[in-house]
Amino acid sequence: QGTPDNGARRRDAAPNPTPDGPAGPGPGNPAARAYFDASVAPALARECASCHDASQPGLGPDFLGLSAADYYLRLKADTRLVGATPAASLLLTKGAHEGPAWSAEGSGVVSMWITLEAGAGAGGAGGAGGAGGMAGAGGNGVGGTVDAGLDAFGRCMTLADWNATRMPDLAQQNTTQGRCLACHSTGTGGAFLAESGDDTFNATRVRPFILKIVLPIMNGDGTLHDLVASARLRDKGMPGTQHPQYVLTDERWNALLDFFTRTYTRWAQGGCP
């Protein structure tokens, strides 16, 4: 951790990448940087910068730098913030402090960026459409409707990946009122989490249940820009919601991210038949 909070800051202590943060890798790969500029920098500006960039001194640890142009290299400079996996990255796992936790959309785009930086992300450097090899409307729905993009993602999901990443175990998550499958085995509340992993897989391929795995990012005209991992299953049990409380285990959160990344790889390359 960086310098402790001295009471003058509005937010609690958080790591400061300079000068005492451990040095991270170099500037990263082009696909990850393109994705960061298109999706992550706006999320940081929207959800973090009001307290954590240096243009607002005294409100919180200034780990973002002076402006959005600094965000990428400042974050990459500290492996505590951008680790080998999203679950190992304090930028994501800090959670609610004196400021709020990430929104579901923000968490999803940051998770995807960290995955891309680790070399597990999808596609190449991307064309006109940005990171992940997406360029214009095509078989994956980018540039078209959100429904088309989600349908394409569902077709790219495979039962082999579902089982290999241990996604069926999500239904066994305990809450303050019992396991998730006790209420969600028939799709109550927009989540389908049954004892049968095959049944859960088949239901999760379509709306509304697919939105527990993936969320759309839209262009200004309402067309699809990208898809990101959804943090809804992780965040649903947080205090302050009407849902029974729980803390999703790291193993289950990593399973969801792993499954998303495998599926996103195929989806970003042009969709699946």
Side-chain angles (χ1 to χ4, degrees):
Q1 294 277 336
T3 303
D5 192 339
N6 62 9
R9 298 181 183 274
R10 181 160 58 87
R11 294 193 177 188
D12 59 351
N16 185 344
T18 57
D20 60 341
N29 64 67
R33 179 58 192 263
Y35 186 82
F36 181 93
D37 290 341
S39 299
V40 181
L44 289 165
R46 186 172 60 248
E47 301 193 32
C48 304
S50 62
C51 290
H52 293 299
D53 78 20
S55 66
Q56 304 288 334
L59 295 179
D62 303 327
F63 60 85
L64 288 175
L66 283 169
S67 69
D70 298 328
Y71 294 172
Y72 184 80
L73 291 179
R74 293 276 297 199
L75 292 174
K76 283 281 291 173
D78 193 336
T79 55
R80 295 172 299 176
L81 295 176
V82 182
T85 67
S89 301
L90 191 56
L91 181 64
L92 272 177
T93 61
K94 180 70 173 177
H97 40 299
E98 289 188 24
W102 280 103
S103 68
E105 179 181 326
S107 177
V109 297
V110 173
S111 295
M112 188 61 205
W113 170 57
I114 293 170
T115 302
L116 285 168
E117 288 289 357
M134 300 175 291
N140 59 13
V142 171
T145 67
V146 168
D147 283 346
L150 292 173
D151 288 346
F153 191 89
R155 292 194 302 272
C156 289
M157 291 169 56
T158 71
L159 184 59
D161 282 347
W162 185 265
N163 289 327
T165 56
R166 301 181 62 85
M167 283 292 284
D169 191 50
L170 281 171
Q172 305 298 328
Q173 173 69 42
N174 274 316
T175 76
T176 53
Q177 296 183 24
R179 292 183 297 168
C180 291
L181 60 83
C183 292
H184 295 293
S185 59
T186 59
T188 302
F192 195 104
L193 297 164
E195 187 77 54
S196 167
D198 288 14
D199 289 350
T200 303
F201 169 77
N202 289 325
T204 303
R205 297 183 79 181
V206 299
R207 279 196 178 204
F209 310 120
I210 195 171
L211 295 172
K212 295 297 185 286
I213 303 297
V214 60
L215 291 175
I217 302 296
M218 291 178 284
N219 297 311
D221 60 2
T223 59
L224 181 66
H225 171 69
D226 200 359
L227 295 177
V228 298
S230 172
R232 290 182 180 182
L233 290 177
R234 186 197 67 184
D235 296 342
K236 189 67 174 178
M238 289 183 175
T241 71
Q242 299 301 311
H243 192 277
Q245 292 184 23
Y246 64 89
V247 177
L248 191 69
T249 65
D250 288 345
E251 292 78 10
R252 290 173 178 135
W253 175 234
N254 286 332
L256 190 152
L257 293 175
D258 189 5
F259 178 76
F260 169 83
T261 302
R262 293 183 187 210
T263 307
Y264 184 94
T265 299
R266 290 186 290 273
W267 176 83
Q269 291 171 345
C272 302

PDB file of all heavy atoms in Angstrom, residues 35-71:
ATOM      1  N   TYR A  35      -8.000  -1.075 -26.653  1.00  0.00           N
ATOM      2  CA  TYR A  35      -9.189  -1.327 -25.838  1.00  0.00           C
ATOM      3  C   TYR A  35      -9.225  -0.372 -24.645  1.00  0.00           C
ATOM      4  O   TYR A  35     -10.284   0.154 -24.283  1.00  0.00           O
ATOM      5  CB  TYR A  35      -9.198  -2.778 -25.367  1.00  0.00           C
ATOM      6  CG  TYR A  35     -10.459  -3.158 -24.632  1.00  0.00           C
ATOM      7  CD1 TYR A  35     -11.604  -3.515 -25.323  1.00  0.00           C
ATOM      8  CD2 TYR A  35     -10.506  -3.134 -23.240  1.00  0.00           C
ATOM      9  CE1 TYR A  35     -12.771  -3.849 -24.653  1.00  0.00           C
ATOM     10  CE2 TYR A  35     -11.665  -3.460 -22.563  1.00  0.00           C
ATOM     11  CZ  TYR A  35     -12.795  -3.816 -23.278  1.00  0.00           C
ATOM     12  OH  TYR A  35     -13.944  -4.132 -22.601  1.00  0.00           O
ATOM     13  N   PHE A  36      -8.079  -0.142 -24.033  1.00  0.00           N
ATOM     14  CA  PHE A  36      -8.005   0.793 -22.906  1.00  0.00           C
ATOM     15  C   PHE A  36      -8.473   2.180 -23.319  1.00  0.00           C
ATOM     16  O   PHE A  36      -9.306   2.799 -22.647  1.00  0.00           O
ATOM     17  CB  PHE A  36      -6.578   0.863 -22.371  1.00  0.00           C
ATOM     18  CG  PHE A  36      -6.425   1.778 -21.186  1.00  0.00           C
ATOM     19  CD1 PHE A  36      -6.523   1.285 -19.896  1.00  0.00           C
ATOM     20  CD2 PHE A  36      -6.187   3.141 -21.362  1.00  0.00           C
ATOM     21  CE1 PHE A  36      -6.405   2.126 -18.797  1.00  0.00           C
ATOM     22  CE2 PHE A  36      -6.061   3.992 -20.266  1.00  0.00           C
ATOM     23  CZ  PHE A  36      -6.175   3.475 -18.983  1.00  0.00           C
ATOM     24  N   ASP A  37      -7.948   2.684 -24.434  1.00  0.00           N
ATOM     25  CA  ASP A  37      -8.286   4.038 -24.863  1.00  0.00           C
ATOM     26  C   ASP A  37      -9.771   4.159 -25.203  1.00  0.00           C
ATOM     27  O   ASP A  37     -10.394   5.183 -24.909  1.00  0.00           O
ATOM     28  CB  ASP A  37      -7.445   4.430 -26.074  1.00  0.00           C
ATOM     29  CG  ASP A  37      -5.977   4.634 -25.727  1.00  0.00           C
ATOM     30  OD1 ASP A  37      -5.664   4.819 -24.527  1.00  0.00           O
ATOM     31  OD2 ASP A  37      -5.138   4.595 -26.644  1.00  0.00           O
ATOM     32  N   ALA A  38     -10.326   3.093 -25.813  1.00  0.00           N
ATOM     33  CA  ALA A  38     -11.717   3.156 -26.256  1.00  0.00           C
ATOM     34  C   ALA A  38     -12.709   2.963 -25.120  1.00  0.00           C
ATOM     35  O   ALA A  38     -13.775   3.593 -25.107  1.00  0.00           O
ATOM     36  CB  ALA A  38     -11.962   2.105 -27.334  1.00  0.00           C
ATOM     37  N   SER A  39     -12.386   2.091 -24.150  1.00  0.00           N
ATOM     38  CA  SER A  39     -13.387   1.689 -23.163  1.00  0.00           C
ATOM     39  C   SER A  39     -12.988   1.945 -21.708  1.00  0.00           C
ATOM     40  O   SER A  39     -13.830   2.310 -20.891  1.00  0.00           O
ATOM     41  CB  SER A  39     -13.704   0.193 -23.344  1.00  0.00           C
ATOM     42  OG  SER A  39     -14.237  -0.067 -24.631  1.00  0.00           O
ATOM     43  N   VAL A  40     -11.709   1.722 -21.369  1.00  0.00           N
ATOM     44  CA  VAL A  40     -11.305   1.805 -19.962  1.00  0.00           C
ATOM     45  C   VAL A  40     -11.074   3.251 -19.530  1.00  0.00           C
ATOM     46  O   VAL A  40     -11.522   3.663 -18.451  1.00  0.00           O
ATOM     47  CB  VAL A  40     -10.051   0.949 -19.701  1.00  0.00           C
ATOM     48  CG1 VAL A  40      -9.648   1.032 -18.228  1.00  0.00           C
ATOM     49  CG2 VAL A  40     -10.315  -0.494 -20.094  1.00  0.00           C
ATOM     50  N   ALA A  41     -10.384   4.036 -20.345  1.00  0.00           N
ATOM     51  CA  ALA A  41     -10.133   5.431 -19.970  1.00  0.00           C
ATOM     52  C   ALA A  41     -11.429   6.196 -19.701  1.00  0.00           C
ATOM     53  O   ALA A  41     -11.520   6.925 -18.704  1.00  0.00           O
ATOM     54  CB  ALA A  41      -9.287   6.124 -21.035  1.00  0.00           C
ATOM     55  N   PRO A  42     -12.461   6.050 -20.553  1.00  0.00           N
ATOM     56  CA  PRO A  42     -13.722   6.733 -20.225  1.00  0.00           C
ATOM     57  C   PRO A  42     -14.335   6.253 -18.914  1.00  0.00           C
ATOM     58  O   PRO A  42     -14.925   7.049 -18.170  1.00  0.00           O
ATOM     59  CB  PRO A  42     -14.622   6.401 -21.423  1.00  0.00           C
ATOM     60  CG  PRO A  42     -13.687   6.131 -22.541  1.00  0.00           C
ATOM     61  CD  PRO A  42     -12.512   5.452 -21.901  1.00  0.00           C
ATOM     62  N   ALA A  43     -14.213   4.945 -18.623  1.00  0.00           N
ATOM     63  CA  ALA A  43     -14.751   4.425 -17.367  1.00  0.00           C
ATOM     64  C   ALA A  43     -13.997   4.994 -16.171  1.00  0.00           C
ATOM     65  O   ALA A  43     -14.597   5.351 -15.145  1.00  0.00           O
ATOM     66  CB  ALA A  43     -14.682   2.895 -17.358  1.00  0.00           C
ATOM     67  N   LEU A  44     -12.680   5.103 -16.278  1.00  0.00           N
ATOM     68  CA  LEU A  44     -11.885   5.701 -15.201  1.00  0.00           C
ATOM     69  C   LEU A  44     -12.249   7.167 -15.005  1.00  0.00           C
ATOM     70  O   LEU A  44     -12.378   7.640 -13.871  1.00  0.00           O
ATOM     71  CB  LEU A  44     -10.396   5.567 -15.516  1.00  0.00           C
ATOM     72  CG  LEU A  44      -9.802   4.168 -15.425  1.00  0.00           C
ATOM     73  CD1 LEU A  44      -8.445   4.134 -16.125  1.00  0.00           C
ATOM     74  CD2 LEU A  44      -9.668   3.715 -13.975  1.00  0.00           C
ATOM     75  N   ALA A  45     -12.415   7.888 -16.097  1.00  0.00           N
ATOM     76  CA  ALA A  45     -12.786   9.295 -16.006  1.00  0.00           C
ATOM     77  C   ALA A  45     -14.149   9.458 -15.340  1.00  0.00           C
ATOM     78  O   ALA A  45     -14.369  10.389 -14.564  1.00  0.00           O
ATOM     79  CB  ALA A  45     -12.780   9.925 -17.394  1.00  0.00           C
ATOM     80  N   ARG A  46     -15.025   8.527 -15.639  1.00  0.00           N
ATOM     81  CA  ARG A  46     -16.391   8.605 -15.131  1.00  0.00           C
ATOM     82  C   ARG A  46     -16.496   8.176 -13.667  1.00  0.00           C
ATOM     83  O   ARG A  46     -17.256   8.770 -12.896  1.00  0.00           O
ATOM     84  CB  ARG A  46     -17.268   7.718 -16.011  1.00  0.00           C
ATOM     85  CG  ARG A  46     -18.752   7.760 -15.732  1.00  0.00           C
ATOM     86  CD  ARG A  46     -19.521   6.999 -16.795  1.00  0.00           C
ATOM     87  NE  ARG A  46     -19.145   5.598 -16.882  1.00  0.00           N
ATOM     88  CZ  ARG A  46     -18.508   5.046 -17.913  1.00  0.00           C
ATOM     89  NH1 ARG A  46     -18.161   5.775 -18.949  1.00  0.00           N
ATOM     90  NH2 ARG A  46     -18.196   3.763 -17.920  1.00  0.00           N
ATOM     91  N   GLU A  47     -15.730   7.155 -13.270  1.00  0.00           N
ATOM     92  CA  GLU A  47     -15.944   6.538 -11.960  1.00  0.00           C
ATOM     93  C   GLU A  47     -14.831   6.774 -10.947  1.00  0.00           C
ATOM     94  O   GLU A  47     -15.047   6.566  -9.750  1.00  0.00           O
ATOM     95  CB  GLU A  47     -16.168   5.024 -12.136  1.00  0.00           C
ATOM     96  CG  GLU A  47     -17.362   4.689 -13.018  1.00  0.00           C
ATOM     97  CD  GLU A  47     -17.780   3.233 -12.950  1.00  0.00           C
ATOM     98  OE1 GLU A  47     -17.627   2.614 -11.877  1.00  0.00           O
ATOM     99  OE2 GLU A  47     -18.264   2.713 -13.979  1.00  0.00           O
ATOM    100  N   CYS A  48     -13.650   7.200 -11.393  1.00  0.00           N
ATOM    101  CA  CYS A  48     -12.508   7.297 -10.478  1.00  0.00           C
ATOM    102  C   CYS A  48     -11.840   8.667 -10.435  1.00  0.00           C
ATOM    103  O   CYS A  48     -11.302   9.069  -9.403  1.00  0.00           O
ATOM    104  CB  CYS A  48     -11.435   6.264 -10.851  1.00  0.00           C
ATOM    105  SG  CYS A  48     -12.018   4.560 -10.901  1.00  0.00           S
ATOM    106  N   ALA A  49     -11.837   9.367 -11.575  1.00  0.00           N
ATOM    107  CA  ALA A  49     -10.973  10.535 -11.703  1.00  0.00           C
ATOM    108  C   ALA A  49     -11.356  11.678 -10.773  1.00  0.00           C
ATOM    109  O   ALA A  49     -10.496  12.481 -10.391  1.00  0.00           O
ATOM    110  CB  ALA A  49     -10.967  11.024 -13.151  1.00  0.00           C
ATOM    111  N   SER A  50     -12.613  11.770 -10.383  1.00  0.00           N
ATOM    112  CA  SER A  50     -13.018  12.896  -9.544  1.00  0.00           C
ATOM    113  C   SER A  50     -12.273  12.919  -8.214  1.00  0.00           C
ATOM    114  O   SER A  50     -12.151  13.975  -7.589  1.00  0.00           O
ATOM    115  CB  SER A  50     -14.524  12.868  -9.299  1.00  0.00           C
ATOM    116  OG  SER A  50     -14.907  11.697  -8.600  1.00  0.00           O
ATOM    117  N   CYS A  51     -11.763  11.756  -7.784  1.00  0.00           N
ATOM    118  CA  CYS A  51     -10.971  11.718  -6.543  1.00  0.00           C
ATOM    119  C   CYS A  51      -9.526  11.294  -6.758  1.00  0.00           C
ATOM    120  O   CYS A  51      -8.682  11.573  -5.913  1.00  0.00           O
ATOM    121  CB  CYS A  51     -11.598  10.744  -5.537  1.00  0.00           C
ATOM    122  SG  CYS A  51     -13.164  11.292  -4.848  1.00  0.00           S
ATOM    123  N   HIS A  52      -9.251  10.606  -7.869  1.00  0.00           N
ATOM    124  CA  HIS A  52      -7.957   9.930  -7.972  1.00  0.00           C
ATOM    125  C   HIS A  52      -7.057  10.394  -9.105  1.00  0.00           C
ATOM    126  O   HIS A  52      -6.065   9.739  -9.390  1.00  0.00           O
ATOM    127  CB  HIS A  52      -8.168   8.416  -8.078  1.00  0.00           C
ATOM    128  CG  HIS A  52      -8.730   7.805  -6.830  1.00  0.00           C
ATOM    129  ND1 HIS A  52      -8.081   7.854  -5.619  1.00  0.00           N
ATOM    130  CD2 HIS A  52      -9.901   7.149  -6.600  1.00  0.00           C
ATOM    131  CE1 HIS A  52      -8.807   7.245  -4.701  1.00  0.00           C
ATOM    132  NE2 HIS A  52      -9.921   6.819  -5.258  1.00  0.00           N
ATOM    133  N   ASP A  53      -7.380  11.501  -9.785  1.00  0.00           N
ATOM    134  CA  ASP A  53      -6.339  12.037 -10.664  1.00  0.00           C
ATOM    135  C   ASP A  53      -5.747  13.296 -10.015  1.00  0.00           C
ATOM    136  O   ASP A  53      -6.357  13.902  -9.133  1.00  0.00           O
ATOM    137  CB  ASP A  53      -6.823  12.247 -12.102  1.00  0.00           C
ATOM    138  CG  ASP A  53      -7.671  13.496 -12.325  1.00  0.00           C
ATOM    139  OD1 ASP A  53      -7.618  14.432 -11.508  1.00  0.00           O
ATOM    140  OD2 ASP A  53      -8.389  13.524 -13.327  1.00  0.00           O
ATOM    141  N   ALA A  54      -4.566  13.617 -10.420  1.00  0.00           N
ATOM    142  CA  ALA A  54      -3.790  14.647  -9.727  1.00  0.00           C
ATOM    143  C   ALA A  54      -4.312  16.055  -9.971  1.00  0.00           C
ATOM    144  O   ALA A  54      -3.845  17.006  -9.340  1.00  0.00           O
ATOM    145  CB  ALA A  54      -2.323  14.558 -10.142  1.00  0.00           C
ATOM    146  N   SER A  55      -5.279  16.204 -10.873  1.00  0.00           N
ATOM    147  CA  SER A  55      -5.871  17.526 -11.073  1.00  0.00           C
ATOM    148  C   SER A  55      -6.836  17.881  -9.942  1.00  0.00           C
ATOM    149  O   SER A  55      -7.304  19.016  -9.866  1.00  0.00           O
ATOM    150  CB  SER A  55      -6.606  17.574 -12.416  1.00  0.00           C
ATOM    151  OG  SER A  55      -7.732  16.705 -12.410  1.00  0.00           O
ATOM    152  N   GLN A  56      -7.138  16.871  -9.073  1.00  0.00           N
ATOM    153  CA  GLN A  56      -8.008  17.095  -7.923  1.00  0.00           C
ATOM    154  C   GLN A  56      -7.241  16.751  -6.644  1.00  0.00           C
ATOM    155  O   GLN A  56      -7.589  15.800  -5.939  1.00  0.00           O
ATOM    156  CB  GLN A  56      -9.264  16.225  -8.036  1.00  0.00           C
ATOM    157  CG  GLN A  56     -10.056  16.411  -9.307  1.00  0.00           C
ATOM    158  CD  GLN A  56     -10.781  17.737  -9.343  1.00  0.00           C
ATOM    159  OE1 GLN A  56     -11.098  18.298  -8.299  1.00  0.00           O
ATOM    160  NE2 GLN A  56     -11.043  18.251 -10.529  1.00  0.00           N
ATOM    161  N   PRO A  57      -6.182  17.453  -6.315  1.00  0.00           N
ATOM    162  CA  PRO A  57      -5.338  17.085  -5.172  1.00  0.00           C
ATOM    163  C   PRO A  57      -6.110  17.134  -3.856  1.00  0.00           C
ATOM    164  O   PRO A  57      -6.978  17.975  -3.656  1.00  0.00           O
ATOM    165  CB  PRO A  57      -4.216  18.127  -5.201  1.00  0.00           C
ATOM    166  CG  PRO A  57      -4.791  19.281  -5.942  1.00  0.00           C
ATOM    167  CD  PRO A  57      -5.725  18.698  -6.957  1.00  0.00           C
ATOM    168  N   GLY A  58      -5.773  16.175  -2.983  1.00  0.00           N
ATOM    169  CA  GLY A  58      -6.339  16.170  -1.653  1.00  0.00           C
ATOM    170  C   GLY A  58      -7.619  15.394  -1.488  1.00  0.00           C
ATOM    171  O   GLY A  58      -8.095  15.196  -0.371  1.00  0.00           O
ATOM    172  N   LEU A  59      -8.206  14.910  -2.596  1.00  0.00           N
ATOM    173  CA  LEU A  59      -9.467  14.170  -2.496  1.00  0.00           C
ATOM    174  C   LEU A  59      -9.260  12.674  -2.350  1.00  0.00           C
ATOM    175  O   LEU A  59     -10.135  11.964  -1.868  1.00  0.00           O
ATOM    176  CB  LEU A  59     -10.345  14.464  -3.713  1.00  0.00           C
ATOM    177  CG  LEU A  59     -10.831  15.911  -3.836  1.00  0.00           C
ATOM    178  CD1 LEU A  59     -11.681  16.081  -5.090  1.00  0.00           C
ATOM    179  CD2 LEU A  59     -11.615  16.328  -2.607  1.00  0.00           C
ATOM    180  N   GLY A  60      -8.125  12.183  -2.796  1.00  0.00           N
ATOM    181  CA  GLY A  60      -7.832  10.760  -2.710  1.00  0.00           C
ATOM    182  C   GLY A  60      -6.452  10.504  -3.270  1.00  0.00           C
ATOM    183  O   GLY A  60      -5.844  11.391  -3.885  1.00  0.00           O
ATOM    184  N   PRO A  61      -5.886   9.315  -3.081  1.00  0.00           N
ATOM    185  CA  PRO A  61      -4.575   9.004  -3.656  1.00  0.00           C
ATOM    186  C   PRO A  61      -4.566   9.246  -5.159  1.00  0.00           C
ATOM    187  O   PRO A  61      -5.431   8.744  -5.882  1.00  0.00           O
ATOM    188  CB  PRO A  61      -4.408   7.519  -3.324  1.00  0.00           C
ATOM    189  CG  PRO A  61      -5.257   7.317  -2.112  1.00  0.00           C
ATOM    190  CD  PRO A  61      -6.448   8.203  -2.298  1.00  0.00           C
ATOM    191  N   ASP A  62      -3.601  10.010  -5.635  1.00  0.00           N
ATOM    192  CA  ASP A  62      -3.603  10.470  -7.025  1.00  0.00           C
ATOM    193  C   ASP A  62      -2.878   9.496  -7.941  1.00  0.00           C
ATOM    194  O   ASP A  62      -1.886   9.842  -8.588  1.00  0.00           O
ATOM    195  CB  ASP A  62      -2.956  11.857  -7.098  1.00  0.00           C
ATOM    196  CG  ASP A  62      -3.652  12.870  -6.206  1.00  0.00           C
ATOM    197  OD1 ASP A  62      -4.883  12.753  -6.053  1.00  0.00           O
ATOM    198  OD2 ASP A  62      -2.962  13.751  -5.665  1.00  0.00           O
ATOM    199  N   PHE A  63      -3.386   8.260  -8.018  1.00  0.00           N
ATOM    200  CA  PHE A  63      -2.648   7.242  -8.764  1.00  0.00           C
ATOM    201  C   PHE A  63      -2.912   7.259 -10.268  1.00  0.00           C
ATOM    202  O   PHE A  63      -2.285   6.517 -11.012  1.00  0.00           O
ATOM    203  CB  PHE A  63      -2.939   5.841  -8.203  1.00  0.00           C
ATOM    204  CG  PHE A  63      -4.373   5.420  -8.246  1.00  0.00           C
ATOM    205  CD1 PHE A  63      -4.912   4.847  -9.385  1.00  0.00           C
ATOM    206  CD2 PHE A  63      -5.180   5.554  -7.130  1.00  0.00           C
ATOM    207  CE1 PHE A  63      -6.232   4.445  -9.421  1.00  0.00           C
ATOM    208  CE2 PHE A  63      -6.500   5.149  -7.148  1.00  0.00           C
ATOM    209  CZ  PHE A  63      -7.034   4.588  -8.301  1.00  0.00           C
ATOM    210  N   LEU A  64      -3.820   8.132 -10.742  1.00  0.00           N
ATOM    211  CA  LEU A  64      -4.127   8.149 -12.172  1.00  0.00           C
ATOM    212  C   LEU A  64      -3.275   9.132 -12.960  1.00  0.00           C
ATOM    213  O   LEU A  64      -3.205   9.045 -14.180  1.00  0.00           O
ATOM    214  CB  LEU A  64      -5.606   8.485 -12.392  1.00  0.00           C
ATOM    215  CG  LEU A  64      -6.603   7.397 -12.023  1.00  0.00           C
ATOM    216  CD1 LEU A  64      -8.021   7.920 -12.170  1.00  0.00           C
ATOM    217  CD2 LEU A  64      -6.398   6.155 -12.863  1.00  0.00           C
ATOM    218  N   GLY A  65      -2.621  10.068 -12.288  1.00  0.00           N
ATOM    219  CA  GLY A  65      -1.871  11.086 -13.003  1.00  0.00           C
ATOM    220  C   GLY A  65      -2.713  12.326 -13.220  1.00  0.00           C
ATOM    221  O   GLY A  65      -3.793  12.487 -12.656  1.00  0.00           O
ATOM    222  N   LEU A  66      -2.233  13.223 -14.075  1.00  0.00           N
ATOM    223  CA  LEU A  66      -2.860  14.527 -14.241  1.00  0.00           C
ATOM    224  C   LEU A  66      -4.059  14.516 -15.176  1.00  0.00           C
ATOM    225  O   LEU A  66      -4.933  15.365 -15.080  1.00  0.00           O
ATOM    226  CB  LEU A  66      -1.826  15.531 -14.766  1.00  0.00           C
ATOM    227  CG  LEU A  66      -0.839  16.063 -13.726  1.00  0.00           C
ATOM    228  CD1 LEU A  66       0.286  16.833 -14.404  1.00  0.00           C
ATOM    229  CD2 LEU A  66      -1.555  16.961 -12.719  1.00  0.00           C
ATOM    230  N   SER A  67      -4.096  13.585 -16.122  1.00  0.00           N
ATOM    231  CA  SER A  67      -5.179  13.598 -17.106  1.00  0.00           C
ATOM    232  C   SER A  67      -5.329  12.198 -17.691  1.00  0.00           C
ATOM    233  O   SER A  67      -4.533  11.297 -17.421  1.00  0.00           O
ATOM    234  CB  SER A  67      -4.858  14.582 -18.232  1.00  0.00           C
ATOM    235  OG  SER A  67      -3.770  14.107 -19.015  1.00  0.00           O
ATOM    236  N   ALA A  68      -6.361  12.025 -18.521  1.00  0.00           N
ATOM    237  CA  ALA A  68      -6.617  10.730 -19.137  1.00  0.00           C
ATOM    238  C   ALA A  68      -5.424  10.243 -19.950  1.00  0.00           C
ATOM    239  O   ALA A  68      -5.221   9.037 -20.102  1.00  0.00           O
ATOM    240  CB  ALA A  68      -7.870  10.807 -20.019  1.00  0.00           C
ATOM    241  N   ALA A  69      -4.622  11.182 -20.461  1.00  0.00           N
ATOM    242  CA  ALA A  69      -3.438  10.788 -21.237  1.00  0.00           C
ATOM    243  C   ALA A  69      -2.428  10.045 -20.373  1.00  0.00           C
ATOM    244  O   ALA A  69      -1.601   9.279 -20.896  1.00  0.00           O
ATOM    245  CB  ALA A  69      -2.796  12.022 -21.856  1.00  0.00           C
ATOM    246  N   ASP A  70      -2.482  10.243 -19.049  1.00  0.00           N
ATOM    247  CA  ASP A  70      -1.530   9.593 -18.145  1.00  0.00           C
ATOM    248  C   ASP A  70      -2.015   8.243 -17.631  1.00  0.00           C
ATOM    249  O   ASP A  70      -1.226   7.466 -17.098  1.00  0.00           O
ATOM    250  CB  ASP A  70      -1.275  10.475 -16.911  1.00  0.00           C
ATOM    251  CG  ASP A  70      -0.655  11.813 -17.258  1.00  0.00           C
ATOM    252  OD1 ASP A  70       0.105  11.872 -18.242  1.00  0.00           O
ATOM    253  OD2 ASP A  70      -0.936  12.786 -16.544  1.00  0.00           O
ATOM    254  N   TYR A  71      -3.310   7.969 -17.719  1.00  0.00           N
ATOM    255  CA  TYR A  71      -3.886   6.836 -17.004  1.00  0.00           C
ATOM    256  C   TYR A  71      -3.207   5.509 -17.340  1.00  0.00           C
ATOM    257  O   TYR A  71      -2.895   4.711 -16.450  1.00  0.00           O
ATOM    258  CB  TYR A  71      -5.381   6.695 -17.311  1.00  0.00           C
ATOM    259  CG  TYR A  71      -6.274   7.804 -16.821  1.00  0.00           C
ATOM    260  CD1 TYR A  71      -7.614   7.841 -17.189  1.00  0.00           C
ATOM    261  CD2 TYR A  71      -5.791   8.836 -16.007  1.00  0.00           C
ATOM    262  CE1 TYR A  71      -8.457   8.851 -16.756  1.00  0.00           C
ATOM    263  CE2 TYR A  71      -6.626   9.855 -15.576  1.00  0.00           C
ATOM    264  CZ  TYR A  71      -7.960   9.859 -15.966  1.00  0.00           C
ATOM    265  OH  TYR A  71      -8.796  10.851 -15.547  1.00  0.00           O
TER     266      TYR A  71
END
